[in-house]
Amino acid sequence: MQEFQEQSILPFTELKGATWLGALGLNPTGRALSAQLLVILFALATYSVVQRNSRLTREDKALRGSKS
């Protein structure tokens, strides 16, 4: 995203007061932050699905073990 903005292919709108995000490694522009937010949300959703599946697997094994 930043490369496209540097080459003027995409508009560059730096958010005021968001320069501290650069210290975290995030690009402090509107479009880049939206893309980065989507990636973060996708990662969190994936993590929660994996945790849920792991919990359900453990519960299933516990139920099968108690039935024997």
Side-chain angles (χ1 to χ4, degrees):
M1 181 84 54
Q2 185 174 1
E3 294 297 323
F4 289 129
Q5 290 173 336
E6 288 174 356
Q7 296 176 17
S8 298
I9 296 173
L10 290 175
F12 182 86
T13 309
E14 188 164 347
L15 301 174
K16 294 179 183 359
T19 54
W20 59 272
L21 291 171
L24 297 175
L26 299 173
N27 185 354
T29 63
R31 290 180 188 257
L33 281 175
S34 344
Q36 293 166 17
L37 180 63
L38 286 174
V39 168
I40 290 169
L41 288 175
F42 180 74
L44 289 173
T46 302
Y47 176 77
S48 68
V49 167
V50 168
Q51 289 297 318
R52 178 181 171 272
N53 288 343
S54 176
R55 180 180 50 84
L56 290 174
T57 302
R58 282 192 313 268
E59 289 174 358
D60 188 45
K61 285 182 181 178
L63 286 176
R64 288 183 184 186
S66 67
K67 288 182 180 178
S68 301

